Amino acid sequence: MSRARVARRIATAAAYGGGGLGLIGVGLIGLLVTESKLAIRAVGLLEGDPPHADGVYGAAFADPASDQPPLVLAFLGDSTAAGLGVTRGQETPGALLAAGLASVAERRVRLVNVARSGAQSGELAGQLELALPHRPDLAVIIVGANDVTKHTPAALAVRQLGDTVRALRAAGCQVVVGTCPDLGTIKPVRPPLRWVARRLSRQLAAAQTIAVVEQGGRTVSLGSLLGPEFAARPEMFAADRYHPSAQGYATAAMALLPSLCAALELWPEEYAPQAGPEQVLPMAVAAAAAAGRSGTEVAAAERLGDLGRRWAEVKLRLRLGLPDSAERTPEPASANSHAGTGDVRAT
């Protein structure tokens, strides 16, 4: 069955309350359980919590005379959204993207990160309760890896993600989802588990895209964590060879930043940098294509009117370089607020 058909089946089951879909042959289960235990031992656990990064970024870019409040950027999801694997708050993806967004918007950005290590899609509802009181303008969600490794039924995980996106959009918040990464790139994971992990993570990513876009959000495919760099360069991974390092998070943030800017209409679409031609495809086909190509953005084809939620625009945006620093600076409202410096540039 094609990835597009599987993605549509999962998304349909999610929308109508269906249960999990059997995507693994029964004969493989015993072998995969053994391989999973070996992979967990090889990966190990990173000690400690992700560094705290909440605060206000980008004072250096804002007009000192302006009384505009900061844009509020919320981060939800798992350990990758939280920034596990780095030691400084300014190296987390939330801090990097808050500083980058502030540079483009020429406005301060307040980061509120409620993501938690180990979180599955079922925990997004609790994170949503923490984020909504801050009235976010934009939310970034990165989730899915733990749903695969902990065997959450795909339809259930997709429904939980879709419910979260719908609630955020109802609150007037734009949403960008980094879909489930390709777990087949993790070095300690050996065949045949690697092949199955790749298949399941890409199927989940495609189904996530359908659900997110149909609820009014947009997705960016994290795939193999945004390119062959992660397969060829060990420095992109933290000590556990599972979570990204500071360099890895910076690579991911560069691919996400253009989509964050587009969601907030920070530049005219005709001037948005792209690395390839835009395509308009049926939703399931677009989702499947994005799952197989890292860094691909999928959004509703709104120009098609009522058909826009069944057809999607697929874009491979040019990565944007990040500000030279994502440091925060204190402000009267918060002793933990900071500001970034530097320029955003295309790479």
Side-chain angles (χ1 to χ4, degrees):
M1 184 179 296
S2 71
R3 188 184 302 148
R5 290 179 61 193
V6 171
R8 175 51 73 185
R9 282 181 62 204
I10 295 172
T12 300
Y16 292 99
L21 298 177
L23 301 178
I24 306 178
V26 175
L28 281 175
I29 291 178
L31 178 59
L32 294 179
V33 169
T34 300
E35 289 289 344
S36 296
K37 292 179 180 178
L38 292 174
I40 290 171
R41 291 175 186 171
V43 169
L45 296 174
L46 288 176
E47 296 183 356
D49 296 321
H52 179 78
D54 286 21
V56 176
Y57 293 76
F61 305 117
D63 181 356
S66 174
D67 58 356
Q68 276 189 313
L71 290 168
V72 179
L73 171 63
F75 253 70
L76 298 82
D78 56 24
S79 57
T80 301
L84 187 64
V86 298
T87 58
R88 299 188 299 172
Q90 67 195 59
E91 297 172 333
T92 63
L96 293 168
L97 286 169
L101 193 60
S103 179
V104 175
E106 298 183 342
R107 182 176 171 185
R108 294 173 301 151
V109 174
R110 181 182 296 278
L111 173 64
V112 177
N113 196 327
V114 297
R116 294 291 181 268
S117 295
Q120 299 168 245
S121 296
E123 295 172 57
L124 290 175
Q127 295 181 14
L128 181 66
E129 292 182 0
L130 296 174
L132 283 180
H134 295 275
R135 302 179 67 181
D137 300 287
L138 174 65
V140 174
I141 305 173
I142 302 176
V143 75
N146 294 318
D147 292 301
V148 174
T149 60
K150 296 178 182 178
H151 314 296
T152 303
L156 175 61
V158 170
R159 180 164 65 251
Q160 292 163 337
L161 173 61
D163 289 345
T164 303
V165 174
R166 181 172 61 252
L168 286 164
R169 293 294 294 125
C173 178
Q174 298 294 329
V175 182
V176 177
V177 173
T179 55
C180 181
D182 182 355
L183 299 180
T185 63
I186 308 303
K187 290 297 184 182
V189 179
R190 300 182 301 178
L193 180 60
R194 178 180 298 172
W195 303 329
V196 175
R198 168 162 289 147
R199 178 187 175 196
L200 294 183
S201 52
R202 289 187 176 185
Q203 288 175 347
L204 179 58
Q208 286 177 323
T209 292
I210 295 173
V212 169
V213 175
E214 289 182 342
Q215 295 300 333
R218 67 184 69 205
T219 63
V220 178
S221 171
L222 295 187
S224 55
L225 279 178
L226 306 175
E229 303 101 313
F230 279 77
R233 296 173 58 189
E235 66 269 23
M236 290 290 184
F237 287 100
D240 63 353
R241 295 181 293 167
Y242 181 86
H243 292 92
S245 64
Q247 289 176 279
Y249 280 126
T251 300
M254 284 193 296
L256 286 165
L257 180 56
S259 296
L260 269 64
C261 295
L264 292 177
E265 299 181 349
L266 290 178
W267 49 46
E269 193 64 26
E270 59 267 27
Y271 298 117
Q274 294 188 41
E278 175 186 327
Q279 294 179 294
V280 177
L281 300 171
M283 186 68 70
V285 176
R293 187 171 187 182
S294 303
T296 303
E297 177 191 302
V298 181
E302 295 180 354
R303 62 189 179 188
L304 297 182
D306 292 339
L307 295 176
R309 294 295 170 86
R310 286 183 283 173
W311 290 74
E313 294 181 352
V314 181
K315 304 175 183 179
L316 188 63
R317 295 187 184 274
L318 196 65
R319 295 183 186 181
L320 291 183
L322 301 169
D324 297 330
S325 172
E327 295 180 359
R328 298 165 291 175
T329 55
E331 64 171 20
S334 172
N336 293 323
S337 301
H338 296 63
T341 61
D343 297 322
V344 166
R345 55 197 179 279
T347 61

